[in-house]
Amino acid sequence: MLDGMFSFVLLDTRDNSFIVARDAVGITSLYIGWGLDGSIWISSELKGLNDDCEHFQCFPPGHLYSSKNGGFRRWYNPIWFSEAIPSSPYDPLVLRRAFENAVIKRLMTDVPFGVLLSGGLDSSLVASITARHLAGTKAAKQWGSQLHSFCVGLEGSPDLKAAREVADYLGTVHHEFHFTVQDGIDAIEDVIYHIETYDVTTIRASTPMFLMSRKIKALGVKMVISGEGSDEIFGGYLYFHKAPNKEEFHRETCHKIKALHQYDCLRANKSTSAWGLEARVPFLDKDFINVAMAIDPQWKMIRPEEGRIEKWVLRKAFDDEDHPYLPKHILYRQKEQFSDGVGYSWIDGLKAHAALHVTDKMMQNAEFIFPHNTPNTKEAYYYRMIFERFFPQCDRS
């Protein structure tokens, strides 16, 4: 029955026993470590364990740890987790209602809030549904019925333009934040310290989000609703068009959801939490995942000859001619990676900066310096050096 986004430790003071649990897919961060003296450490950040534990690891999502039983037990056991191929027919109205309910559930708040709006399909749908249902909520009575939206990008980036158009269409109070490549480069060390990973794609996307979160919090906003998780559930990445059959398509979506806690969830949670901002993600609502993952994956397959692009089932569910949620060209906008959408020169700037700090000789010796997950680009090597400086024990744990 556990629901929502959470990590907790529950202590029984009668015998000092305890249980630890993490939410279903790992929206929040959690780690567990063991000291030489037999102690068990729990922390929402690696830096809470790095200096004091002989061994530590990511606390697996959807699990409980009991001090009495001394081990992990999975509490989240949905049907899709076994990767059996589902067969439910696609019903666009059922999918639409499930996602609207997931968004509405996250409007229960007593703090100032808004939505992250990149102008892509996922964040735009979140913003559209929030704008539609905000008026009748307690939050609207407390903070006003006009939704605030936030976007970040380099000057002239695709996301800024698309987000502005969606904001105008929905009538939100839109906040557009600009950053330069140098602003991002200057923040890289802080970003790696807070998000605690050396994964290249995660760092590229986390940096603009980290910079935006600081500015959002400065406005007094304490919670944002975001669009993470859709691409994993619906096979939204462009490589999914290579899926040979529905079975492989479905298994890949299962694998992507199971890995979310290492990538997109980690980015969204830690980039915002670094500034005391909470990010809520309706696409990862348990009930919505159950509905979406029960659909026969044949419907999710990308079929250009039939006019079905990536995430067609989601787009079609919100393609309402009478009461449109979004302009057609936004509803059917092709996916941009977040790190591309904020401005294409962002990644080029990162690569150029890394090349100034990592020599060819360093790359030749990379496998000896970093035998585990050896970096294969100068950008990856640069991030790894920073990570190792902050978390020197992680490779040995």
Side-chain angles (χ1 to χ4, degrees):
M1 297 300 291
L2 293 172
D3 198 5
M5 43 187 279
F6 59 84
S7 297
F8 68 78
V9 178
L10 185 61
L11 175 69
D12 188 338
T13 55
R14 293 171 298 181
D15 58 5
N16 283 331
S17 64
F18 61 89
I19 61 170
V20 188
R22 189 177 182 189
D23 65 67
V25 294
I27 299 169
T28 58
S29 298
L30 194 63
Y31 302 90
I32 183 169
W34 292 267
L36 284 173
D37 60 355
S39 58
I40 297 174
W41 297 60
I42 305 294
S43 175
S44 60
E45 295 186 304
L46 274 176
K47 58 185 71 71
L49 307 177
N50 188 57
D51 294 334
D52 297 291
C53 294
E54 178 65 18
H55 173 73
F56 49 87
Q57 67 181 57
C58 175
F59 193 100
H63 280 72
L64 288 166
Y65 179 91
S66 167
S67 63
K68 288 183 176 179
N69 299 329
F72 295 101
R73 179 174 65 82
R74 169 167 284 282
W75 64 265
Y76 180 56
N77 291 292
I79 294 173
W80 66 265
F81 208 86
S82 67
E83 301 180 18
I85 311 304
S87 58
S88 296
Y90 168 55
D91 186 330
L93 291 180
V94 169
L95 187 64
R96 183 198 296 183
R97 276 196 295 270
F99 188 57
E100 286 192 305
N101 289 340
V103 174
I104 292 168
K105 185 189 297 185
R106 281 149 185 83
L107 297 182
M108 184 176 66
T109 180
D110 56 3
V111 299
F113 78 100
V115 294
L116 301 185
L117 179 59
S118 70
L121 172 68
D122 307 327
S123 66
S124 297
L125 281 178
V126 169
S128 177
I129 296 167
T130 303
R132 284 191 178 208
H133 295 279
L134 179 60
T137 65
K138 179 183 175 183
K141 295 175 184 175
Q142 208 167 353
W143 308 109
S145 58
Q146 195 168 19
L147 181 64
H148 287 253
S149 56
F150 308 95
C151 185
V152 67
L154 302 176
E155 196 79 50
S157 70
D159 279 3
L160 290 179
K161 180 181 177 183
R164 199 178 309 124
E165 182 180 358
V166 174
D168 289 343
Y169 182 82
L170 299 177
T172 68
V173 179
H174 192 55
H175 306 265
E176 191 175 278
F177 303 123
H178 300 154
F179 77 104
T180 66
V181 172
Q182 191 58 52
D183 290 334
I185 288 171
D186 291 343
I188 287 291
E189 292 205 6
D190 286 340
V191 169
I192 292 174
Y193 176 77
H194 284 287
I195 66 172
E196 302 177 319
T197 185
Y198 49 78
D199 179 70
V200 170
T201 303
T202 303
I203 293 168
R204 287 174 175 178
S206 294
T207 305
M209 196 169 192
F210 177 83
L211 295 171
M212 176 173 57
S213 297
R214 178 177 62 185
K215 295 183 177 182
I216 292 174
K217 185 60 185 296
L219 295 174
V221 173
K222 296 185 178 180
M223 184 272 281
V224 289
I225 308 178
S226 189
E228 276 76 22
S230 172
D231 291 312
E232 288 72 18
I233 294 170
F234 295 104
Y237 296 102
L238 296 183
Y239 77 88
F240 271 86
H241 79 276
K242 296 181 180 179
N245 51 57
K246 70 177 188 179
E247 290 80 11
E248 291 301 319
F249 189 104
H250 178 70
R251 291 190 187 102
E252 182 65 9
T253 58
C254 292
H255 295 166
K256 296 292 280 187
I257 297 171
K258 292 174 184 179
L260 268 169
H261 68 286
Q262 296 176 298
Y263 302 105
D264 287 39
C265 285
L266 181 149
R267 167 182 55 79
N269 178 256
K270 291 186 175 179
S271 296
T272 53
S273 294
W275 300 104
L277 185 67
E278 176 192 355
R280 297 184 180 178
V281 283
F283 277 109
L284 298 180
D285 177 81
K286 274 201 324 177
D287 293 336
F288 177 71
I289 292 177
N290 288 340
V291 170
M293 291 302 287
I295 298 171
D296 188 326
Q298 187 66 41
W299 289 97
K300 297 180 182 179
M301 296 278 286
I302 299 167
R303 305 286 192 202
E305 69 279 4
E306 299 174 22
R308 282 164 47 181
I309 63 173
E310 72 280 356
K311 294 189 287 193
W312 178 84
V313 290
L314 181 64
R315 301 175 196 271
K316 188 65 176 175
F318 287 91
D319 194 349
D320 189 328
E321 296 287 349
D322 297 327
H323 305 286
Y325 285 78
L326 295 167
K328 285 272 190 182
H329 64 281
I330 295 290
L331 191 61
Y332 289 93
R333 182 189 177 196
Q334 194 173 64
K335 175 182 173 56
E336 296 262 18
Q337 285 193 60
F338 182 55
S339 50
D340 284 340
V342 298
Y344 299 117
S345 60
W346 168 231
I347 292 176
D348 292 338
L350 286 173
K351 290 178 178 178
H353 180 73
L356 295 175
H357 292 79
V358 180
T359 65
D360 293 340
K361 187 72 171 176
M362 292 165 73
M363 289 302 299
Q364 289 172 11
N365 294 320
E367 63 181 305
F368 304 108
I369 304 299
F370 303 116
H372 175 67
N373 286 340
T374 304
N376 55 14
T377 67
K378 289 186 176 182
E379 186 184 4
Y381 195 110
Y382 177 65
Y383 299 153
R384 187 64 170 273
M385 288 193 301
I386 298 171
F387 179 86
E388 292 288 333
R389 193 164 75 245
F390 290 133
F391 308 106
Q393 293 186 46
C394 284
D395 260 358
R396 302 198 304 272
S397 187

